[in-house]
Amino acid sequence: MDLAVTREQLDAVRGARHLPDVLKQVLQDAKRSGDGEGGGYVLHLTYEEATALNELCAWNVHTDASGLVSPESRVFDDLVKAILTHPDY
């Protein structure tokens, strides 16, 4: 599966605690997207890698007392949604 990510999302995942080994090479191999959207990338993920990325991002989504996603973790929440709704996942 090819997953489009922003520079902010790529940086957030790279900086996440407990980054699984299975994702390190995927992140290193991220390709710049050709759509000219100012810093977009494409991650080529196997099902196992997409699942690992989904779990990592889900662990980093935090909510407030009312159940709203905190602004600091919105980048991870957006990635979870992108993975779960991707047609190849």
Side-chain angles (χ1 to χ4, degrees):
M1 112 185 222
D2 289 332
L3 182 68
V5 298
T6 65
R7 178 67 175 174
E8 179 187 20
Q9 290 170 327
L10 184 62
D11 289 343
V13 173
R14 283 181 173 156
R17 296 166 112 198
H18 311 295
L19 183 65
D21 290 339
V22 70
L23 292 179
K24 289 179 182 176
Q25 190 64 45
V26 170
L27 298 175
Q28 281 185 318
D29 293 343
K31 304 282 185 223
R32 282 197 168 269
S33 61
D35 60 11
E37 287 186 23
Y41 291 83
V42 175
L43 301 177
H44 181 71
L45 302 158
T46 64
Y47 181 78
E48 176 188 33
E49 293 161 345
T51 300
L53 180 59
N54 184 56
E55 289 176 359
L56 175 69
C57 291
W59 292 332
N60 284 283
V61 174
H62 305 287
T63 57
D64 62 19
S66 65
L68 296 175
V69 174
S70 69
E72 304 83 34
S73 65
R74 189 165 319 282
V75 65
F76 292 108
D77 187 54
D78 290 344
L79 277 168
V80 169
K81 289 175 187 172
I83 294 165
L84 291 177
T85 60
H86 195 284
D88 293 333
Y89 185 66

